[in-house]
């Protein structure tokens, strides 16, 4: 078992969730309730990482992250370091690649909150913030949970983008999925099999837990 | 919820980069086994570990130019080292650590092993068989960025087989992957690094025959310290030029002179 790869994967997945969930709640709610010009384009852009080959996304990010590129140079002036082949770089790439996984389930959940419920809450004197905290979030909770689980599990398994941007550096950007690829190249099929089984187990447990919880909730509500 | 939060914080409060991390080394994948063994021996002697990254030399050359944090680069093609030196990414021009050899590799019981006089007989048979509708792949590393792929292309061209074998070629991202493909069920075999053919993990399930050195340009493998090299990387670089390291390289089929 490649513990350093496991640790990189877990940190990456947890941080991606931590940063993306607030974004997902904000964007998901905005997209579910607001109507504005260019909403379709916004949704298309968010969904893009779902269909774009990871190598294409990775290629663009690799270029954008370079020290001469706009994004890379801003980062370099702020932090003094580069983005390519660093943990910060793969984290940023992972945040972009996971946008649809974090936003879409939350948006769907918000779309099922009736508009008149929100209006009723306002009429009863609740502020928009209180409405969000006390009425809406409890209702969309299963959506947030699925977003978290999908983002977490997807980050654990992400390969192409991370390999392009990260370069598979041990202890820094080599994730479990890449370590499995490396083990196969080293003709260490047992090592690859052990890590693959772990990834399968963690992914299935994460998803099973969430669908189980969401199902129970639906059942409890009748 | 509280345990979940606690787990979250523990995850972030133990950064992987605590303290001095062993230096990261980029190495051509033909060194997959030889360098792993050398690094273990180095660690046993000095107590200092290194982190090995294996891949195609061309990809590492690009990554180093783009600022990847490698401290030592062991290329399978010295041209990449010279290019990096000219661009100012390395301390000097480095040094040759080995001369590589190309070998025809096929899995055991795949049929007759070609003899040294005609080491590419398997390729010719595969081309002949494809005329009858059976497709047996021939594996090699990608010549665009893998030195052993270039050597394989040269050897096939030398034997006038490069064009005829085109529909059967399967390209590995690096020579280690090419070896994997060479041993796959639907492959006849492949042209890979001799050092991989000698590795215990492969030797049990494969056979090989050497390709004459005159059939391709010499695989002069050069290593170099990058501008980021620290003390451990420098020590390892020096150690790799000592007798014990040379013996390991020799054992994996490299000539070291």
């Amino acid at each position: 078992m490649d513990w350093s790869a496991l640790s990189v994967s877990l940190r990456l997945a947890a941080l991606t969730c931590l940063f993306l969930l607030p974004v997902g709640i904000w964007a998901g709610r905005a997209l579910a309730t607001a109507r504005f010009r260019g909403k379709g384009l916004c949704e298309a852009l968010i969904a893009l990482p779902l269909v774009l080959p990871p190598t294409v996304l990775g290629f663009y990010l690799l270029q954008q992250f370079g020290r001469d590129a706009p994004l890379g140079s801003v980062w370099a002036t702020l932090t003094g370091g580069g983005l390519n082949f660093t943990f910060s770089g793969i984290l940023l790439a992972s945040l972009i690649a996971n946008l649809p996984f974090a936003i879409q389930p939350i948006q769907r959940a918000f779309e099922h909150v009736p508009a008149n419920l929100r209006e009723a809450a306002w009429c009863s004197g609740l502020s928009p913030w209180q409405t969000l905290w006390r009425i809406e979030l409890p209702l969309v909770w299963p959506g947030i949970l699925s977003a978290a689980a999908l983002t977490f599990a997807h980050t654990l398994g992400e390969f192409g983008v991370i390999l392009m941007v990260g370069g598979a550096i041990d202890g820094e950007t080599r994730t479990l999925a890449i370590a499995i690829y490396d083990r196969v190249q080293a003709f260490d099929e047992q090592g690859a099999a052990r890590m693959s089984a772990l990834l399968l187990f963690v992914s299935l447990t994460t998803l099973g837990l969430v669908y189980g919880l969401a199902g129970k909730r639906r059942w409890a509500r009748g | 919820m509280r345990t979940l939060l606690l787990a979250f914080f523990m995850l972030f409060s133990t950064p992987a980069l605590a303290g001095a991390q062993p230096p990261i080394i980029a190495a051509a994948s033909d060194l997959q086994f030889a360098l792993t063994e050398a690094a273990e021996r180095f660690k046993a002697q000095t107590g200092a570990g290194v982190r090995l990254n294996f891949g195609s030399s061309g990809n590492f050359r690009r990554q180093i130019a783009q600022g990847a944090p490698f401290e030592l680069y062991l290329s399978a093609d010295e041209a990449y080292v010279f290019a990096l030196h000219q661009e100012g990414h390395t301390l000097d021009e480095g040094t040759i650590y080995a001369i590589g050899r190309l070998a025809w590799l096929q899995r055991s019981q795949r049929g007759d092993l070609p003899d040294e006089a005609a080491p590419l007989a398997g390729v010719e048979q595969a081309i002949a068989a494809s005329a009858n509708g059976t497709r047996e792949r021939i594996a090699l590393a990608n010549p665009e960025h893998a030195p052993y792929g270039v050597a394989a292309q040269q050897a096939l061209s030398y034997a006038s087989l490069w064009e005829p074998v085109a529909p059967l070629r399967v390209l590995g991202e690096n020579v280690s992957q090419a070896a994997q493909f060479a041993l796959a069920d639907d492959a006849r075999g492949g042209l890979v690094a001799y050092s991989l053919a000698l590795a215990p993990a492969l030797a049990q399930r494969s056979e090989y025959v050497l390709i004459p050195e005159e059939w391709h340009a010499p695989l002069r493998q050069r290593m170099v310290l990058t501008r980021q090299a620290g003390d451990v990387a420098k020590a390892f670089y020096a150690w790799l030029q000592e007798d014990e390291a040379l013996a390991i390289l020799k054992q994996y089929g490299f000539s070291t002179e």
Side-chain angles (χ1 to χ4, degrees):
Chain A
M1 181 60 59
D2 189 333
W3 296 109
S4 77
L6 179 64
S7 142
V8 170
S9 276
L10 287 177
R11 275 193 305 140
L12 187 68
L15 282 171
T16 303
C17 278
L18 190 72
F19 285 126
L20 268 192
L21 280 184
V23 175
I25 293 170
W26 172 77
R29 186 171 185 275
L31 288 169
T33 55
R35 289 176 180 204
F36 56 93
R37 278 170 79 93
K39 183 176 162 184
L41 183 68
C42 265
E43 287 177 311
L45 277 174
I46 289 166
L48 202 54
L50 281 179
V51 291
L52 211 57
T55 37
V56 174
L57 188 60
F59 169 71
Y60 282 125
L61 292 177
L62 189 68
Q63 287 195 322
Q64 281 308 305
F65 287 0
R67 278 164 196 270
D68 303 328
L71 190 63
S73 62
V74 168
W75 183 269
T77 34
L78 286 177
T79 66
L83 268 175
N84 282 327
F85 318 116
T86 63
F87 184 79
S88 312
I90 60 168
L91 179 59
L92 197 55
S94 166
L95 292 178
I96 293 166
N98 278 293
L99 278 176
F101 298 94
I103 294 175
Q104 285 184 348
I106 300 179
Q107 182 185 347
R108 299 288 163 267
F110 270 112
E111 279 167 357
H112 284 100
V113 178
N116 53 18
L117 191 68
R118 211 170 292 143
E119 286 154 13
W122 292 339
C123 290
S124 314
L126 291 182
S127 74
W129 262 112
Q130 286 171 319
T131 313
L132 179 68
W133 274 109
R134 291 165 63 178
I135 311 290
E136 291 181 76
L137 282 187
L139 284 174
V140 300
W141 183 240
I144 297 175
L145 209 59
S146 349
L150 284 174
T151 304
F152 190 84
H154 179 249
T155 309
L156 279 189
E158 179 56 64
F159 179 79
V161 177
I162 305 294
L163 186 62
M164 289 286 269
V165 174
I169 289 157
D170 182 22
E172 174 129 16
T173 63
R174 174 152 59 205
T175 59
L176 207 52
I178 295 170
I180 292 169
Y181 180 73
D182 279 355
R183 283 296 88 206
V184 174
Q185 301 239 315
F187 294 86
D188 176 12
E189 269 123 29
Q190 280 189 328
R194 271 197 298 273
M195 286 190 263
S196 298
L198 177 77
L199 210 52
L200 179 68
F201 174 76
V202 173
S203 302
L204 195 62
T205 314
T206 317
L207 294 179
L209 240 139
V210 164
Y211 289 130
L213 276 177
K216 214 173 182 176
R217 204 186 152 85
R218 269 200 300 274
W219 183 78
R221 268 195 289 167
Chain B
M1 191 66 201
R2 185 174 286 174
T3 35
L4 202 71
L5 277 173
L6 202 68
F8 244 61
F9 283 119
M10 276 176 61
L11 215 56
F12 306 134
S13 55
T14 46
L17 297 172
Q21 281 270 71
I24 309 167
I25 288 159
S29 23
D30 65 322
L31 295 164
Q32 183 89 244
F33 300 97
L35 198 65
T36 306
E37 195 174 320
E40 277 165 17
R41 202 83 67 83
F42 176 71
K43 181 158 193 186
Q45 280 178 19
T46 64
V50 294
R51 290 184 281 168
L52 300 173
N53 264 37
F54 295 104
S56 87
S57 299
N59 279 347
F60 285 137
R61 181 246 177 278
R62 181 179 56 78
Q63 292 186 352
I64 290 169
Q66 283 171 337
F70 299 116
E71 297 187 26
L72 174 61
Y73 168 48
L74 291 99
S75 173
D77 181 349
E78 62 176 350
Y80 292 134
V81 171
F82 293 141
L84 281 174
H85 175 61
Q86 280 212 322
E87 292 165 18
H89 298 289
T90 65
L91 290 183
D92 51 25
E93 291 200 326
T95 180
I96 299 246
Y97 60 91
I99 311 284
R101 286 292 300 270
L102 192 64
W104 166 261
L105 182 79
Q106 64 182 40
R107 65 181 186 282
S108 330
Q109 285 134 20
R110 181 69 188 79
D112 296 338
L113 184 70
D115 59 31
E116 281 191 35
L120 295 179
V123 180
E124 286 168 28
Q125 285 163 13
I127 293 169
S130 74
N132 303 326
T134 28
R135 189 151 71 168
E136 298 176 316
R137 297 288 190 177
I138 304 295
L140 59 144
N142 192 336
E144 292 204 36
H145 55 80
Y148 277 93
V150 176
Q153 178 176 2
Q154 288 167 347
L156 285 165
S157 302
Y158 178 89
S160 310
L161 292 170
W162 178 248
E163 288 299 327
V165 83
L168 301 178
R169 293 195 298 244
V170 49
L171 300 183
E173 194 267 327
N174 58 60
V175 72
S176 192
Q177 195 177 47
Q180 208 124 56
F181 290 165
L183 302 183
D185 278 342
D186 47 2
R188 183 73 178 80
L191 286 162
V192 303
Y194 180 37
S195 59
L196 294 180
L198 290 179
L202 269 93
Q204 295 156 358
R205 47 173 138 159
S206 61
E207 308 173 297
Y208 67 87
V209 56
L210 274 170
I211 305 291
E213 278 176 288
E214 313 79 63
W215 289 21
H216 57 84
L219 284 152
R220 290 160 64 85
Q221 308 203 179
R222 189 173 279 269
M223 63 177 169
V224 70
L225 290 161
T226 69
R227 290 209 158 276
Q228 307 153 38
D231 291 341
V232 176
K234 284 175 180 162
F236 189 51
Y237 176 77
W239 187 83
L240 282 174
Q241 298 172 54
E242 286 174 19
D243 288 345
E244 197 171 348
L246 296 181
I248 295 173
L249 286 169
K250 220 169 231 159
Q251 184 196 325
Y252 281 90
F254 293 104
S255 50
T256 51
E257 54 215 76

